[in-house]
Amino acid sequence: MTLRSNFDRRGFLRTTGAAALGTLAAPSILRAQDGPIVIGHLTPRTGFLGPLGEYAVMAADLAAEEINAAGGIDGRELQLIKEDSVNPQTASTKAERMIDRDKVAAIVGEISSASALTIAQTVERGKTLFLNTGANSDALRGADCKRHMFHVETQNAMYVNAEGQHLLQNGLVEGKKWYVLTADYAFGHDLLAGAKAFLERNGGSIAGEDLVPTDATDFSSFMLKIRAAEPDLVALNLAGTQITSFFKQYGEFGLDFPVGGFGFDTAMAWAAGAQNFRGTWPCVWNHQIDTERSQAFTKAFTDKYGKPPENQAWGDYMAIQILAQAIRETKGTDAAAIIEYFEGPDAKFDMMKTREGYFNPENHQLLQEIYAITAVPASDAENEWDIFTTSGPLPAPDQPLESLIADAVGGSCSFSG
Amino acid sequence: MTLFLFLSQLLNGLLDGFYYLLIAIGLSLIFSLGGIVNLAHGAFFAIGAYLAIALTPYTGFFGAVILVPLIVAGLGMIVERLLFTRFYRVDPLYSLLLTFGLAMIIEQALRWSFGAAPLAYNMPELLRGQVFMGDFIYSRYRIFLIAVAILAVAALWLLLNRTAFGRIVRAGIQNPDILGAMGISLRPYLSAVAGIAIGLAGLAGVLMAPIVPVHPAMGAEVLTAAFVVVVIGGLGSFWGVVLAAILVGLVKGFVIGIDLPSWSLAAIYLLMFLVLLLRPRGLMGERILRFE
């Protein structure tokens, strides 16, 4: 204790602080060249999007593991710092800490459109890249777009256009009445605007609509309203566990109006079970896609975790691979150089689908094929995962990928503002 | 919106109230007797749902409805013996911290063992589909659910009001010290009450598993509504909690009935606020000396 008496707290901090700075600051130029590359992984791991976040984390771990097993990125080890983004305020605080304290090369993740917006504002100030892997709102690609934010995840317009095509072909739009249930937050509101515009363009009408709180688990009151309205289609703009609640209770009440919708994640179909899952749904990727890389990814994921990957797993796995490719191509982690690369004509990515993907330089949306999955009757399901079949890639091979983002509703994007 | 649909929503809300009741009545019992605010009550609800998934392949759904509450009640008694007993005589703040921690540990344990993604759980084909009662259409499963809930609550009322066991529990709620002076030890009763209360949460878990997503945090979702019911009903009153559950259901149904579904959650908090303003002890809360 004598040591403590003549070496007070301030003195201790001064000395060790200076020493730490000395050791840190001097080789920092060197470190930037050959130290590990640190990526911040920030996504909701609790709450109604938490189940999807868990898949995101599992896939990010798998991607990092594979990259490091193959010798890292240009010989540098890839390190992940993983955090639960919780809500928009916490997401922004944690993003700031990742940028200022952890000096991450980029932030990858997020599912909530509301949190993605606050992260985007933070990375724009911190001049750090953000690869959004799960937030779909058109506004993030429109009025709220940011130079440092890139979207690996599809945007709402792509789902509306793909699902819309399916509904048109099945005669469920023109002259038909829809009952629309919408998740009451940024993502749902945005999707509702897109779905309504689509319905209006194609001569359908609304039989009824409700905003559903994100933490709602009891849908019985909506079931009664849907039954009273007798719609031609029940259209869902729901998110996360809401989708599971809906399916379970729709089956419970024995309703049989056709169901379709624009927001979807395969984990929610699995949680509803073969008995309750029905309809045709758009999705960015699913484990049945018959390409060599999709099947390799599905196998690696299933071997590691004992269950097939969900579309959210694909998103975070893909984003880290894309980032690794950009760091290799630009020979470093400089944000400005990577943005220039992403916006340029040479940045093409293997999306595990039939066509390569590339970023739209005007709003940083990764243009890519998407798919539609259709529920199979419960008796035909071979196991608890293959309770649907997948379509081939959309749009059709003779259509440009740009056709999927036509009629987006989120305003126009300008990176100068 | 037609009058008929409005009445349907009101009735649906009323029926909704019964599943809050299964959770709320146990919360109220544990607090009234032991002075413990059991924030882990929702976590036992989640354990009930997961046990249903684990046991159904062996016992069938109806077997699970009987077995799961017994197992959860057993867990509840173990938790009471190991943990709650140390907190009966101290500031409720400590038990609040204890059960808050317990809830987090259970939730994380479920996440570790079953994963965060919701699990599928099918209901028996027998109970799927709709029934008509006059013009009113309802889910067959929910009628089963409500019947079981009413049966369980009625049995609890008989136990508390028509048996020697119940007399001692009610006396213990009012004045544990005098009960002790009369040579009656409250300890075994405290264990039994914790077992019954937590077992009811387990029962609610099995019953809800076929209709809500089964995921580790599902307990936290029901706990808040159950607390509101307890606070509105008032402590120590059996009928207060029943009345509050019905009232909360009706208010929710009414708000949805007048086409404001996004207000349905806010409305029950508003109800709680009003009740507390007018009757700080809750609707039928008894004056319990220990808590004044």
Side-chain angles (χ1 to χ4, degrees):
Chain A
M1 282 301 126
T2 46
L3 201 131
R4 194 175 164 190
S5 60
N6 52 31
F7 200 70
D8 66 6
R9 191 174 59 88
R10 277 161 194 276
F12 177 78
L13 282 180
R14 229 179 354 252
T15 324
T16 53
L21 273 179
T23 52
L24 279 177
S28 71
I29 303 154
L30 261 177
R31 262 164 47 97
Q33 296 304 319
D34 53 30
I37 294 170
V38 184
I39 293 177
H41 189 263
L42 186 56
T43 219
R45 300 172 70 169
T46 47
F48 79 114
L49 296 171
L52 301 175
E54 188 187 51
Y55 277 103
V57 172
M58 291 193 288
D61 282 340
L62 178 64
E65 205 173 86
E66 288 181 2
I67 288 171
N68 288 332
I73 303 172
D74 287 342
R76 295 167 68 186
E77 188 200 349
L78 174 63
Q79 279 180 2
L80 291 181
I81 294 176
K82 294 174 286 186
E83 289 269 6
D84 179 357
S85 63
V86 189
N87 59 37
Q89 292 77 27
T90 312
S92 146
T93 313
K94 288 191 172 172
E96 202 166 326
R97 203 165 61 200
M98 284 176 168
I99 296 168
D100 294 344
R101 191 190 65 186
D102 304 322
K103 311 283 181 219
V104 295
I107 292 175
V108 170
E110 199 47 59
I111 301 173
S112 156
S113 294
S115 298
L117 178 57
T118 63
I119 296 174
Q121 287 158 345
T122 309
V123 297
E124 196 70 6
R125 280 197 302 275
K127 305 217 179 312
T128 303
L129 280 175
F130 168 41
L131 266 66
N132 159 30
T133 59
N136 303 75
S137 136
D138 278 350
L140 291 170
R141 288 81 171 166
D144 293 331
C145 73
K146 293 280 179 289
R147 184 175 291 283
H148 287 79
M149 172 165 60
F150 288 81
H151 310 279
V152 175
E153 174 73 343
T154 42
Q155 71 178 87
N156 281 341
M158 299 162 95
Y159 287 154
V160 172
N161 285 322
E163 178 78 2
Q165 279 305 315
H166 163 77
L167 296 172
L168 281 171
Q169 279 160 18
N170 285 277
L172 286 165
V173 186
E174 198 184 340
K176 301 292 181 184
K177 291 180 304 174
W178 288 11
Y179 199 105
V180 190
L181 289 181
T182 300
D184 195 3
Y185 78 111
F187 158 77
H189 298 169
D190 189 287
L191 198 46
L192 178 63
K196 274 184 164 168
F198 170 81
L199 197 58
E200 206 163 288
R201 281 199 302 277
N202 293 286
S205 62
I206 300 269
E209 56 176 309
D210 282 307
L211 293 177
V212 183
T214 52
D215 51 359
T217 52
D218 180 25
F219 282 64
S220 56
S221 60
F222 302 119
M223 297 305 158
L224 296 175
K225 289 177 80 171
I226 289 169
R227 189 183 169 276
E230 296 189 342
D232 299 302
L233 177 80
V234 183
L236 302 187
N237 302 316
L238 298 177
T241 51
Q242 287 182 324
I243 300 176
T244 307
S245 295
F246 173 85
F247 277 129
K248 281 186 147 184
Q249 295 172 35
Y250 198 73
E252 179 209 347
F253 273 77
L255 299 183
D256 52 10
F257 308 108
V259 182
F262 305 102
F264 194 70
D265 292 290
T266 41
M268 299 308 150
W270 291 334
Q275 189 189 31
N276 295 314
F277 180 53
R278 63 187 75 201
T280 293
W281 304 83
C283 75
V284 60
W285 181 87
N286 66 72
H287 72 283
Q288 292 181 346
I289 292 171
D290 195 17
T291 62
E292 202 177 308
R293 264 202 90 197
S294 280
Q295 288 312 310
F297 170 57
T298 301
K299 179 167 185 325
F301 192 95
T302 313
D303 286 349
K304 188 168 161 66
Y305 298 112
K307 55 183 176 182
E310 210 270 337
N311 51 288
Q312 187 58 56
W314 173 88
D316 291 70
Y317 182 88
M318 206 67 248
I320 289 177
Q321 299 288 2
I322 286 174
L323 198 57
Q325 178 177 336
I327 294 171
R328 276 190 204 105
E329 291 292 327
T330 61
K331 302 194 173 25
T333 56
D334 180 50
I338 293 179
I339 292 174
E340 198 186 317
Y341 168 71
F342 278 160
E343 287 180 344
D346 301 328
K348 302 270 190 191
F349 309 99
D350 178 351
M351 309 298 298
M352 306 186 194
K353 304 172 182 177
T354 57
R355 271 191 253 186
E356 288 184 315
Y358 50 91
F359 283 106
N360 175 355
E362 272 142 41
N363 67 355
H364 291 179
Q365 172 63 47
L366 183 57
L367 295 174
Q368 56 187 305
E369 292 163 323
I370 66 172
Y371 296 80
I373 60 171
T374 301
V376 299
S379 51
D380 297 353
E382 279 169 27
N383 56 46
E384 60 188 304
W385 314 112
D386 293 308
I387 61 173
F388 52 77
T389 53
T390 186
S391 71
L394 300 169
D398 56 338
Q399 300 274 323
L401 294 176
E402 281 76 4
S403 65
L404 280 178
I405 56 166
D407 304 311
V409 292
S412 59
C413 167
S414 150
F415 289 126
S416 55
Chain B
M1 179 147 317
T2 63
L3 181 68
F4 172 71
L5 187 56
F6 174 74
L7 290 177
S8 298
Q9 293 294 5
L10 213 56
L11 187 59
N12 180 45
L14 179 73
L15 297 175
D16 258 6
F18 286 99
Y19 22 96
Y20 296 137
L21 187 57
L22 277 183
I23 313 249
I25 204 120
L27 266 182
S28 169
L29 260 183
I30 294 180
F31 184 71
S32 306
L33 193 61
I36 286 185
V37 179
N38 186 16
L39 289 177
H41 215 66
F44 287 103
F45 166 81
I47 290 180
Y50 275 99
L51 274 178
I53 290 180
L55 289 182
T56 300
Y58 309 101
T59 63
F61 173 73
F62 295 102
V65 170
I66 294 164
L67 268 181
V68 169
L70 295 177
I71 299 172
V72 178
L75 279 178
M77 286 167 82
I78 294 170
V79 166
E80 194 274 343
R81 267 298 145 93
L82 293 179
L83 300 171
F84 288 5
T85 43
R86 295 160 208 273
F87 293 87
Y88 286 136
R89 291 279 167 167
V90 295
D91 193 306
L93 196 63
Y94 292 101
S95 63
L96 208 73
L97 289 174
L98 169 82
T99 54
F100 184 58
L102 187 62
M104 290 203 285
I105 289 169
I106 294 176
E107 186 181 321
Q108 198 56 36
L110 289 173
R111 195 166 283 137
W112 264 344
S113 356
F114 296 95
L119 299 183
Y121 183 61
N122 293 345
M123 66 173 67
E125 281 298 330
L126 183 70
L127 294 174
R128 272 168 75 86
Q130 39 189 252
V131 284
F132 292 87
M133 291 175 287
D135 283 337
F136 182 64
I137 178 179
Y138 212 58
S139 136
R140 186 176 302 167
Y141 183 79
R142 266 173 223 233
I143 291 172
F144 162 79
L145 192 162
I146 288 156
V148 175
I150 292 178
L151 219 65
V153 172
L156 183 64
W157 184 84
L158 284 175
L159 184 70
L160 289 176
N161 289 284
R162 291 287 183 270
T163 64
F165 173 89
R167 262 196 300 284
I168 293 171
V169 169
R170 281 181 293 134
I173 288 175
Q174 276 305 327
N175 202 323
D177 294 330
I178 290 187
L179 206 64
M182 293 170 75
I184 297 170
S185 164
L186 206 53
R187 275 204 64 175
Y189 293 92
L190 286 164
S191 291
V193 162
I196 292 169
I198 290 174
L200 284 175
L203 175 66
V206 201
L207 291 176
M208 295 302 276
I211 55 176
V212 300
V214 177
H215 63 110
M218 65 190 293
E221 286 163 5
V222 292
L223 191 67
T224 330
F227 262 115
V228 172
V229 169
V230 173
V231 170
I232 292 176
L235 289 168
S237 164
F238 184 90
W239 291 113
V241 178
V242 177
L243 184 69
I246 291 173
L247 205 62
V248 163
L250 277 180
V251 166
K252 222 180 114 189
F254 176 79
V255 174
I256 293 170
I258 57 172
D259 222 7
L260 289 170
S262 48
W263 280 82
S264 59
L265 287 177
I268 66 172
Y269 293 111
L270 204 64
L271 175 70
M272 176 171 85
F273 176 73
L274 281 177
V275 168
L276 286 183
L277 214 59
L278 300 172
R279 290 185 67 90
R281 260 189 223 107
L283 288 177
M284 294 173 70
E286 290 177 23
R287 190 182 162 85
I288 298 174
L289 276 178
R290 289 182 289 150
F291 300 137
E292 295 296 318

